[in-house]
Amino acid sequence: MVILGLTGSIGMGKTTVSRYFRSLGLPVYDADAEVHKLMAKGGRAGKAIEETFPDVAGKGTINRVALGKQVFGDAEALRRLESILHPLVWQAERRFLGNAARHGVPVVVLDVPLLLEAEADKLCDAVVVVTAPPFVQKPRVMSRPGMTEERFQAIMEEQMPDAEKRMRADFIINTGRGKSDGLRQAKSIVKVTSSWRGHHWPPNASARKFYQESRN
């Protein structure tokens, strides 16, 4: 089974590309969606987050805005939050991969925003980086509710520069040229990788070590 890692900086169009891959029949594991699920009402991370950040609980769920304010600009608070979420996210990812393998799926996608920053690309057979010109990226980001120039710059500083991501990519999809071109690029990647033989599932020694460390 071939594992494609999908990543890209904020505002590059990664969510749109993820939908392209789904429309082409590829199962996609969405790490962001899993985080939302973990923090939703009854989510597996809810209790631990409430105990660690007592002021973010409300009506049986986690107030993501309040939580974001607590961890924004506070490296230690962010580390505590990640220590709760990351092990659960990786567990869900392993379940996704195992289920896809059992069903004989030839190619799957791991949609992980910080794939390269977290060195999770070592779990993948190829990395797809989504990019766009700065004059396309910034208006996309600034149109989001609650976004400010300060927050945008802080997020950019946390993420690996787009140029470095592109250097480490096996495939690049530029979403600045319109949807039809983006879909064409995604189709080309699927066509190429469908004939590959995957080497990262079942997990090799490096992947097993990564998953083991993610639980600590």
Side-chain angles (χ1 to χ4, degrees), residues 35-46 50 58-62:
V35 169
H36 280 266
K37 180 180 176 182
L38 290 169
M39 292 197 293
K41 187 174 182 179
R44 295 174 64 201
E50 289 179 17
K59 297 182 179 180
T61 187
I62 301 298

Side-chain angles (χ1 to χ4, degrees), residues 40-97:
K41 187 174 182 179
R44 295 174 64 201
K47 183 177 180 181
I49 292 176
E50 289 179 17
E51 291 174 349
T52 307
F53 303 94
D55 299 327
V56 304
K59 297 182 179 180
T61 187
I62 301 298
N63 185 326
R64 292 175 60 89
V65 174
L67 180 61
K69 290 180 179 179
Q70 286 204 29
V71 302
F72 180 65
D74 188 332
E76 177 57 27
L78 181 61
R79 186 200 62 77
R80 293 198 304 271
L81 178 61
E82 289 176 343
S83 71
I84 296 169
L85 292 173
H86 284 185
L88 299 174
V89 169
W90 298 129
Q91 288 172 21
E93 180 184 291
R94 286 202 66 172
R95 289 195 299 271
F96 166 84
L97 292 171

